[in-house]
């Protein structure tokens, strides 16, 4: 059971408590009487930036507000001291934005114009029209002066509102010699309820400290309190999503207000939480400060680019006097639902990107334009990963490998946890257990299989360990307050941590992955970075003290949530550079942040082998996908505890639909490789894993499309059916791409029937059976242990490879099956991306992207490669390598009459082939061996 007392609640955190109290006093105030407002005559618009000063009359606070207009109508809002005593940390963008700060493209601003409106109630509003999107939606920004608030309007309707509840509250940066009368400890006196913001008058008093204590730790808060709080609301919306990582529902629960579901805010602070709860807003290993709002009218988002500890309260229809006042200038329907988020952040700049949508697709593309997408993974990484803490030795690894052969279960990767090392010294082997690691890797490689080794970021303090010695000598370790190497406890005992904020240190670690440095590794070995929050067993909340200072004077407080991402980045670079020509790396990380998607996969950490954790894995994985972290999954089977055979089987059936599919187990659990379950379970697990492999072409294409567009790979139903509000909270069913709707079995025992809802007026086809049914509909289906219900949605075409093999590599030259699922109008479309699966040559054009369409009873395959690559030599050379790969079958599922033959046209030559319509109502027709080539243009016309 999690030790909740090891982790802070909002009340244990001075700044969280302070801002909640401020919000309460703003809500309770009898009239809209704002402390903060826009300074008269301070609003200006120049060079694509709207600027204003926000002041607080009672306190000595003068803030600069800027709103910058970026591509795709994204608005970047920044607030910080106008004349800071000490500048706040500004470096987040360098790590988080895909091309750093310099890479942000401003939109053209030639036709923007700023005007002033004065309402009869004395409200002064600045109005800026900032353009239209491709669908002719008109976007406007409103800035009211007193109270200050900022709204984004789409076609005159507000979609995102900033500070319309009046929760904005800002603590000026102080240093020990410019201090306030703030209470010197983390205890907030009752008096602060009424005057919640500290007086910021600058007195000189070097004795006043801002120490905060939690349990036995004291945080010296050297720059004094510098937190801020702000509310961001979403008019017309009742469902908010995002802000992973939490083990909780997909649609965020309320945390304050009349009907609060949680009493604590959602917390974003990367932490190692032992045996985490399955329904809680507590912080976990990763953080993405991106919230999405969806309603049938529009989808929008808010990305807070800040890597300090953050708490987010969620309210619905929260009363506010300020809002009532603003209603006079904003064209809002009073009856519509109104969801709000209150962001409470400890330090750094208030730096928020208002993401205007208005469709889900646009929101994903807008967010991707900021933090980037996942480059194509190694193809094998989409296969099945077999992990355990620990495979005991080389013989164990090879015998598990052999058992997969015997049981004809495909798999691609076997993993070694910390026990493979010499005394937890990473980059080493325990040669007693692994006498010949290269032999072992080569044995695995014989069937195209790979090895992943864990490399944690704590480095055993040991002058006899060359990594430790070199890092110490070259100042690669984080320093403590006395300027000595910071030391803490982790798996090896006394350990040090590399300062990844020093680019030279990051580079040095990345070089440790070279074949020369990391002995006995081959190009078949990949890396798992665990414990990188960082987990420090004897640190506050099992992590690093906030007042530790990194390279360049960066306080850990400001960058805590980025640390883990830099660990993964360093590994990503190391693996990318270890071969010439380079090959794509594969790195799994536990900690993550916005931008992590560029460096590899993550998993949801140490879950438990019970049905609740099976269930919560779905919203966790989907939420990660919604926030850009697509390559993710949960430990299949549950990490802690021993799953029953039934639970484990059901977990495999679900796990094949996680973008990252790995089974893992704690060292104290019983062995649970699939064959140990015996029949019938092993056969059901084999069936499930084989199904994953059949769909690998579809998965790989989804990864390509995600890279291009930001569209999530696994998707909540609302992304595909945005207008159907019945599915805004659904996680018992979800989508993989636009074509597959998965309805996993999520509970135990005699529940062999399942209720399945078909969300749209479309044809639905059960995959691999002859059953099809028009939606919308609620079905009751039998789901005995050998079955989970998978529907293909009419209108989609899915390429598969149907020959069972031992690993993805061995499927490389296998022929394809093209599965056509026609829509109610008898049409369908789909796509297929193919490249070599391992090099970066795709960047030069060494790939093909095919578009399939089915219309007028004819299936077409056309080249859809983006134009600039069509004639490249690289593409031609690549096509040469796949030129013999055929389509071995076309399966057409349809809701109406049957066909007898088909006319194939390829390279200008026509031939006739037989069509067999098999099912009872002849609704499934098969063309066996049409013998068309996958890289060619062709058509197959069906004839009645
Ligand atoms: C914690 C990780 O979350 C878990 O997956 C791993 O097995 C252990 N550390 C041991 O390395």
């Amino acid at each position: 059971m999690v030790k909740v007392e090891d982790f802070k609640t909002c009340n244990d955190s001075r700044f969280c408590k302070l801002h909640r109290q401020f919000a309460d006093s703003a809500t309770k105030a009898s009239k809209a009487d704002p402390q903060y407002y826009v300074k008269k005559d301070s609003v200006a618009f120049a060079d694509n930036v709207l600027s204003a000063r926000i002041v607080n009359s009672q306190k000595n606070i003068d803030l600069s507000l800027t709103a910058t207009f970026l591509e795709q109508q994204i608005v970047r809002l920044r607030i910080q001291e106008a004349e800071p005593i000490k500048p706040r940390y500004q470096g987040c963008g360098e790590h988080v934005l895909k091309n750093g700060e310099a890479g942000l493209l401003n939109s053209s601003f030639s036709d923007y114009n700023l005007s002033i409106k004065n309402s009869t109630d004395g409200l002064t509003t600045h109005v800026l029209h900032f353009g239209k999107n491709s669908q002719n939606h008109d976007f406007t920004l409103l800035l009211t002066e007193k109270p200050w608030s900022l709204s984004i309007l789409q076609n005159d309707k507000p979609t995102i509102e900033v500070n319309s509840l009046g929760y904005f509250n800002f603590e000026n940066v102080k240093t020990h010699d410019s201090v306030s009368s703030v209470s010197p400890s983390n205890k907030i006196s009752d008096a602060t309820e009424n005057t919640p913001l500290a007086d910021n008058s600058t007195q000189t008093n070097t004795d006043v400290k801002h120490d905060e204590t939690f349990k036995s730790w004291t945080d010296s808060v050297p720059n004094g309190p510098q937190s801020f709080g702000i509310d961001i609301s979403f008019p017309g919306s009742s469902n908010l999503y995002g802000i992973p990582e939490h083990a909780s529902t997909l649609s965020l629960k309320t945390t304050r207000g009349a009907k609060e579901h949680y009493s604590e805010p959602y917390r974003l602070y990367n932490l190692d939480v032992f045996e985490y709860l399955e329904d809680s807003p507590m912080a976990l290993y990763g953080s993405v400060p991106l919230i999405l709002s969806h309603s049938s009218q529009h989808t929008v988002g808010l990305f807070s680019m800040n890597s300090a500890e953050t708490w987010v309260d969620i309210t619905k229809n929260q009363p506010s006097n300020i809002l009532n006042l603003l209603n006079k200038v904003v064209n809002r329907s009073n009856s519509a639902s109104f969801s709000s988020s209150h962001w409470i952040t400890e330090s750094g700049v208030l730096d928020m990107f208002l993401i205007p949508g208005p469709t889900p697709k646009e929101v994903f593309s807008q967010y991707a334009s900021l933090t980037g997408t996942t480059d194509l993974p190694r193809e094998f990484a989409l296969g099945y990963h077999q992990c355990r803490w620990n495979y005991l030795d080389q013989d164990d690894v090879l015998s598990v490998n052999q058992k997969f052969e015997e049981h004809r279960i495909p798999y691609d990767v076997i993993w070694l946890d910390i026990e493979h090392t010499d005394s937890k010294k990473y980059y080493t082997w325990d040669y007693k257990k692994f006498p010949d690691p290269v032999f072992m890797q080569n044995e695995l490689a014989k069937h195209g299989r790979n090895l992943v080794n864990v490399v944690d970021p704590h480095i055993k303090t040991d002058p006899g360990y060359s990594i430790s010695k070199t890092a110490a000598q070259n100042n690669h370790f984080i320093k403590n307050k006395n300027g000595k190497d910071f030391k803490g406890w982790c798996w090896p005992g006394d350990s040090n941590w590399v300062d990844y904020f020093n680019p030279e240190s990051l580079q040095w670690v990345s070089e440790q992955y070279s074949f020369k440095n990391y002995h006995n590794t081959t190009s078949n070995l990949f890396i798992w970075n665990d414990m990188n929050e960082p987990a420090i067993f004897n640190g506050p909340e099992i992590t690093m003290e906030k007042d530790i200072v990194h390279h360049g004077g960066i306080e850990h407080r400001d960058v805590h949530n980025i640390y883990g991402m830099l660990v993964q980045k360093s590994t990503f670079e190391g693996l990318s550079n270890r071969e010439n020509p380079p090959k794509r790396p594969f790195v799994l990380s536990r900690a993550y942040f916005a931008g992590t998607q560029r460096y590899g996969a993550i998993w949801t950490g140490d879950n438990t082998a019970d049905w609740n954790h099976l269930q919560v894995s779905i919203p966790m994985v989907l939420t990660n996908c919604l926030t850009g972290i697509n390559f993710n999954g949960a430990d299949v089977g549950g990490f802690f505890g021993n799953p029953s055979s039934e639970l484990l089987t059901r977990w495999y059936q679900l796990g094949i639909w996680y973008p990252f599919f790995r089974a893992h187990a704690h060292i104290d659990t019983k062995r649970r490789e699939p064959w140990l379950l015996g029949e019938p379970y092993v056969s059901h697990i084999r069936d499930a894993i084989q199904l994953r492999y059949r769909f690998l072409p579809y998965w790989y294409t989804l990864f390509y499309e995600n890279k291009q567009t930001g569209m999530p790979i696994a998707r909540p139903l609302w992304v595909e059916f945005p207008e159907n509000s019945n599915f805004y909270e659904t996680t018992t069913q979800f989508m993989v791409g636009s074509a597959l709707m998965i309805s996993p079995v999520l509970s135990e025992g005699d529940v062999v029937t399942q209720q399945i809802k078909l969300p749209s007026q479309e044809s639905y086809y059960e995959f691999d059976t002859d059953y099809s049914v028009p939606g919308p509909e609620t079905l009751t289906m039998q789901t005995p242990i050998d079955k989970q219900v998978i529907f293909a949605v009419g209108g989609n075409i899915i390429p598969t490879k149907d020959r069972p093999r031992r690993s993805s590599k061995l499927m490389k030259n296998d022929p394809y099956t093209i599965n056509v699922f026609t829509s109610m109008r008898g049409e369908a479309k789909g796509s297929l991306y193919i490249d070599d699966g391992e090099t970066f040559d795709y960047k030069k054009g060494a790939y093909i992207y095919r578009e399939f369409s089915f219309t007028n009873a004819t299936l077409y395959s056309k080249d859809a490669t983006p134009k600039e690559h069509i004639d490249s030599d690289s593409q031609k050379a690549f096509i040469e390598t796949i030129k013999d790969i055929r389509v071995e079958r076309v399966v057409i599922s349809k809701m109406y009459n049957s066909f007898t033959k088909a006319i194939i046209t390829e390279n200008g030559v026509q031939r006739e082939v037989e069509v067999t319509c098999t099912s009872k109502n002849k609704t499934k027709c098969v063309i066996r061996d049409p013998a068309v080539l996958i890289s060619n243009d062709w058509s197959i016309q069906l004839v009645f």
Side-chain angles (χ1 to χ4, degrees):
M1 204 39 188
V2 66
K3 285 204 198 143
V4 277
E5 65 279 10
D6 280 349
F7 303 100
K8 286 185 186 173
T9 62
C10 180
N11 259 343
D12 296 322
S13 154
R14 188 202 65 85
F15 73 94
C16 183
K17 186 172 172 182
L18 176 90
H19 289 281
R20 268 193 154 187
Q21 288 176 347
F22 187 90
D24 285 346
S25 59
T27 305
K28 278 187 219 138
S30 55
K31 58 184 170 66
D33 186 14
Q35 292 189 25
Y36 294 88
Y37 53 89
V38 172
K39 191 172 175 182
K40 210 167 170 24
D41 300 329
S42 71
V43 181
F45 181 64
D47 295 339
N48 205 29
V49 180
L50 176 90
S51 57
R53 287 288 182 92
I54 306 274
V55 290
N56 180 317
S57 53
Q58 297 159 23
K59 322 271 155 54
N60 184 18
I61 293 186
D62 182 0
L63 303 169
S64 131
L65 173 153
T66 56
T68 310
F69 298 86
L70 307 176
E71 279 206 324
Q72 300 192 61
Q73 285 82 37
I74 299 170
V75 179
R76 181 182 195 177
L77 173 69
R78 304 187 98 219
I79 301 178
Q80 56 196 311
E81 287 86 353
E83 282 159 25
I85 294 172
K86 185 174 180 194
R88 288 167 180 258
Y89 174 64
Q90 307 276 337
C92 219
E94 175 194 336
H95 302 294
V96 168
L97 297 171
K98 67 174 183 188
N99 296 317
E101 287 285 352
L104 273 192
L105 290 179
N106 288 356
S107 60
S108 86
F109 51 89
S110 52
D111 57 354
Y112 296 5
N113 74 71
L114 182 65
S115 61
I116 293 196
K117 266 203 308 207
N118 286 306
S119 82
T120 44
D121 307 273
L123 267 183
T124 302
T125 309
H126 300 263
V127 183
L128 184 84
H129 296 286
F130 63 98
K132 286 188 192 304
N133 69 2
S134 51
Q135 281 91 50
N136 243 4
H137 291 120
D138 208 17
F139 292 93
T140 310
L141 179 147
L142 296 187
L143 178 68
T144 59
E145 284 196 356
K146 193 172 185 177
W148 91 264
S149 80
L150 188 148
S151 312
I152 301 295
L153 274 51
Q154 180 211 317
N155 295 347
D156 285 336
K157 293 266 183 226
T159 59
I160 310 175
E161 292 188 352
V162 179
N163 199 33
S164 58
L165 299 180
Y167 295 173
F168 177 72
N169 184 17
F170 202 92
E171 294 191 290
N172 270 4
V173 173
K174 300 164 211 73
T175 55
H176 278 165
D177 53 2
S178 65
V179 295
S180 69
S181 60
V182 70
S183 165
S185 76
N186 65 340
K187 293 189 188 65
I188 304 168
S189 68
D190 289 345
T192 52
E193 285 219 10
N194 301 323
T195 52
L197 186 75
D199 179 351
N200 283 269
S201 55
T202 47
Q203 308 159 11
T204 301
N205 178 351
T206 41
D207 294 337
V208 177
K209 299 254 194 291
H210 304 280
D211 293 0
E212 275 194 62
T213 55
F214 175 66
K215 299 183 93 175
S216 57
W217 291 277
T218 300
D219 172 4
S220 65
V221 197
N223 295 309
Q226 46 176 309
S227 68
F228 55 84
I230 193 162
D231 56 281
I232 313 288
S233 298
F234 304 97
S237 158
S238 52
N239 288 91
L240 302 180
Y241 309 91
I243 53 169
E245 183 176 32
H246 303 100
S248 185
T249 46
L250 176 73
S251 173
L252 298 172
K253 296 184 181 182
T254 52
T255 61
R256 301 215 91 192
K259 289 193 208 135
E260 67 182 30
H261 285 89
Y262 291 137
S263 54
E264 286 291 303
Y266 287 89
R267 186 179 187 203
L268 297 174
Y269 192 58
N270 294 356
L271 291 173
D272 177 10
V273 181
F274 180 78
E275 295 190 341
Y276 64 76
L277 301 170
E278 80 278 355
D279 181 13
S280 165
M282 280 173 75
L284 288 176
Y285 316 92
S287 307
V288 185
L290 169 69
I291 203 162
L292 304 179
S293 152
H294 175 71
S295 70
S296 57
Q297 307 296 312
H298 50 250
T299 313
V300 296
L302 180 274
F303 171 49
S304 172
M305 194 171 72
N306 185 299
S307 46
E309 181 184 353
T310 294
W311 303 75
V312 186
D313 266 320
I314 304 294
T315 55
K316 301 224 168 127
N317 305 320
Q318 183 78 340
S320 154
N321 288 313
I322 294 186
L323 194 63
N324 294 341
L325 197 64
L326 293 175
N327 278 346
K328 300 193 170 132
V329 289
V330 176
N331 176 12
R332 175 188 300 120
S333 126
N334 273 342
S335 56
S337 42
F338 189 87
S339 299
S340 303
S341 51
H342 180 200
W343 293 73
I344 302 172
T345 296
E346 184 172 18
S347 64
V349 176
L350 187 159
D351 193 353
M352 294 183 155
F353 294 80
L354 313 181
I355 298 176
T359 60
K361 209 169 151 192
E362 283 160 302
V363 164
F364 299 122
S365 150
Q366 287 156 352
Y367 180 66
S369 77
L370 300 173
T371 64
T373 52
T374 304
D375 248 346
L376 282 158
R378 284 291 275 262
E379 208 164 8
F380 78 77
L382 302 186
Y384 171 57
H385 299 253
Q386 180 67 42
C387 188
R388 157 160 203 97
W389 179 15
N390 218 96
Y391 285 114
L392 304 176
D393 53 30
Q394 189 166 315
D395 289 346
D396 194 12
V397 168
L398 294 177
S399 100
V400 169
N401 185 50
Q402 184 53 33
K403 289 276 183 203
F404 273 99
E405 298 285 305
E406 284 167 24
H407 293 274
R408 293 174 294 106
I409 300 174
Y411 94 107
D412 266 77
V413 192
I414 188 161
W415 292 52
L416 292 179
D417 209 322
I418 49 178
E419 316 298 332
H420 80 274
T421 59
D422 168 15
S423 319
K424 317 287 184 309
K425 291 183 272 190
Y426 305 105
Y427 314 95
T428 69
W429 299 87
D430 180 342
Y431 288 109
K432 282 198 219 79
K433 298 180 197 156
F434 297 89
D436 195 346
V438 170
F439 167 78
M440 180 176 73
Q441 289 163 73
N442 290 342
E443 282 298 295
L444 296 173
K446 279 186 183 161
H447 295 133
R449 290 172 185 147
N450 301 290
L451 183 71
V452 167
N453 276 3
V454 79
V455 173
D456 290 356
H458 45 261
I459 309 249
K460 184 178 165 97
T461 312
D462 177 352
Y465 171 31
S466 69
I467 297 267
S468 165
K469 190 168 143 210
T470 317
Q473 278 169 352
N474 293 294
N475 273 323
H476 291 310
F477 288 135
I478 298 173
K479 303 278 183 236
N480 66 19
K481 288 166 231 167
N482 306 323
K484 301 252 163 47
D485 288 344
F486 167 82
K487 208 184 262 186
W489 270 79
C490 210
W491 297 124
D494 267 349
S495 306
N496 307 99
W497 278 258
V498 167
D499 194 345
Y500 290 86
F501 290 92
N502 179 351
E504 280 174 25
S505 304
L506 187 147
Q507 159 85 16
W508 174 79
V509 178
S510 84
E511 285 161 11
Q512 304 318 307
Y513 294 99
S514 71
F515 297 130
K516 181 169 110 278
N517 288 335
Y518 192 172
H519 298 160
N520 291 310
T521 59
T522 69
S523 57
N524 289 77
L525 179 133
F526 299 87
I527 299 296
W528 169 20
N529 289 145
D530 187 16
M531 315 295 281
N532 51 340
E533 294 72 28
I536 299 176
F537 294 156
N538 59 340
E541 303 192 85
I542 335 284
T543 191
M544 187 163 278
E545 285 132 87
K546 286 177 173 170
D547 49 2
I548 290 285
V549 177
H550 291 277
H551 175 83
I554 304 168
E555 217 188 336
H556 187 71
R557 178 185 328 279
D558 289 323
V559 292
H560 174 82
N561 287 340
I562 286 181
Y563 184 84
M565 176 163 84
L566 295 188
V567 174
Q568 191 181 19
K569 178 184 179 186
S570 158
T571 315
F572 171 89
E573 289 179 355
L575 296 189
S576 306
N577 294 331
R578 70 182 174 173
E579 276 164 283
N580 195 9
K583 291 213 180 125
R584 291 175 229 170
F586 168 76
V587 192
L588 181 78
S589 167
R590 192 171 69 176
Y592 60 98
F593 193 60
T596 282
Q597 65 267 26
R598 303 194 300 270
Y599 305 119
I602 67 101
W603 92 107
T604 63
D606 299 346
N607 57 0
T608 300
D610 66 31
W611 293 90
N612 292 337
H613 275 267
L614 169 85
Q615 288 159 18
V616 80
S617 74
I618 300 175
M620 290 179 83
V621 168
L622 295 178
T623 299
N624 282 330
C625 288
L626 288 177
T627 57
I629 313 285
N630 277 274
F631 201 4
N632 85 108
D635 281 347
V636 168
F639 179 69
F640 293 113
N642 295 305
S644 66
S645 301
E646 183 185 351
L647 173 60
L648 188 52
T649 305
R650 291 304 193 188
W651 213 320
Y652 272 101
Q653 289 171 348
L654 166 63
I656 63 168
W657 305 112
Y658 299 149
F660 172 62
F661 172 36
R662 182 186 78 154
H664 184 37
H666 188 275
I667 196 165
D668 295 336
T669 59
K670 291 195 203 119
R671 292 289 283 249
R672 51 165 101 140
E673 289 71 36
W675 48 89
L676 297 175
L677 275 61
E679 290 295 357
Y681 303 104
V682 61
S683 290
H684 303 328
I685 293 174
R686 180 191 304 112
D687 289 348
I689 299 179
Q690 284 183 349
L691 196 58
R692 168 73 172 208
Y693 278 77
R694 281 175 69 188
F695 280 108
L696 284 182
Y698 179 60
W699 280 106
Y700 200 53
T701 303
L702 288 174
F703 270 83
Y704 169 73
E705 289 170 353
N706 164 262
K707 168 171 107 60
Q708 300 297 95
T709 66
M711 273 305 276
I713 292 173
R715 307 174 183 166
L717 291 183
W718 66 259
V719 173
E720 281 301 311
F721 309 101
E723 272 147 38
N724 192 337
S725 59
N726 295 328
F727 296 93
Y728 290 174
E729 301 183 4
T730 302
T731 51
T732 48
Q733 299 172 202
F734 63 94
M735 305 294 299
V736 172
S738 60
L740 291 177
M741 190 179 76
I742 316 300
S743 312
V745 175
L746 301 170
S747 46
E748 182 173 22
D750 43 3
V751 193
V752 290
T753 58
Q754 229 191 328
Q755 243 205 16
I756 290 158
K757 293 191 172 163
L758 308 179
S760 59
Q761 194 176 5
E762 192 42 272
S763 314
Y764 286 80
Y765 302 87
E766 198 186 4
F767 195 79
D768 261 359
T769 76
D770 292 337
Y771 181 61
S772 60
V773 57
E777 186 60 89
T778 301
L779 308 169
T780 303
M781 295 185 68
Q782 299 292 307
T783 47
I785 188 77
D786 61 343
K787 169 152 179 161
Q788 75 170 317
V789 179
I790 302 150
F791 273 109
V793 185
N796 286 287
I797 300 177
I798 308 175
T800 55
K801 282 191 173 181
D802 293 349
R803 302 185 180 191
R805 301 277 184 198
R806 285 172 288 203
S807 70
S808 65
K809 200 162 189 175
L810 301 179
M811 295 166 69
K812 198 114 204 94
N813 296 320
D814 278 355
Y816 287 84
T817 295
I818 308 295
N819 305 273
V820 179
F821 301 95
T822 61
S823 69
M824 285 194 162
R825 298 172 54 200
E827 296 181 338
K829 56 183 185 353
S831 49
L832 174 66
Y833 173 87
I834 313 175
D835 65 16
D836 66 21
E838 55 183 36
T839 72
F840 289 99
D841 291 352
Y842 68 87
K843 296 198 174 182
K844 295 183 265 164
Y847 69 91
I848 61 165
Y849 184 52
R850 310 292 309 173
E851 192 179 271
F852 302 116
S853 58
F854 186 80
T855 177
N856 295 327
T858 308
L859 173 65
Y860 297 92
S861 171
K862 288 193 183 128
D863 182 17
T865 317
K867 295 266 178 299
E868 64 268 28
H869 294 312
I870 277 181
D871 285 316
S872 78
D873 290 346
S874 307
Q875 190 181 42
K876 283 194 190 133
F878 173 66
I879 290 175
E880 201 44 38
T881 67
I882 57 160
K883 68 174 189 327
D884 296 330
I885 301 182
R886 296 171 309 121
V887 173
E888 67 172 343
R889 190 163 36 240
V890 173
V891 183
I892 297 164
S893 301
K894 58 193 178 48
M895 303 293 284
Y896 58 99
N897 46 5
S898 80
F899 302 107
T900 52
K901 60 177 184 173
I903 298 164
I904 297 180
T905 310
E906 190 182 23
N907 294 330
V909 179
Q910 286 201 338
R911 59 205 151 84
E912 216 175 88
V913 287
E914 209 182 290
V915 179
T916 326
C917 294
T918 48
S919 75
K920 255 198 281 145
N921 304 322
K922 309 263 188 212
T923 53
K924 194 176 222 170
C925 297
V926 180
I927 303 168
R928 256 169 247 290
D929 202 12
V932 286
L933 296 177
I934 200 68
S935 54
N936 262 359
D937 284 358
W938 42 257
S939 68
I940 302 177
Q941 186 194 354
L942 297 160
V943 183
F944 294 102

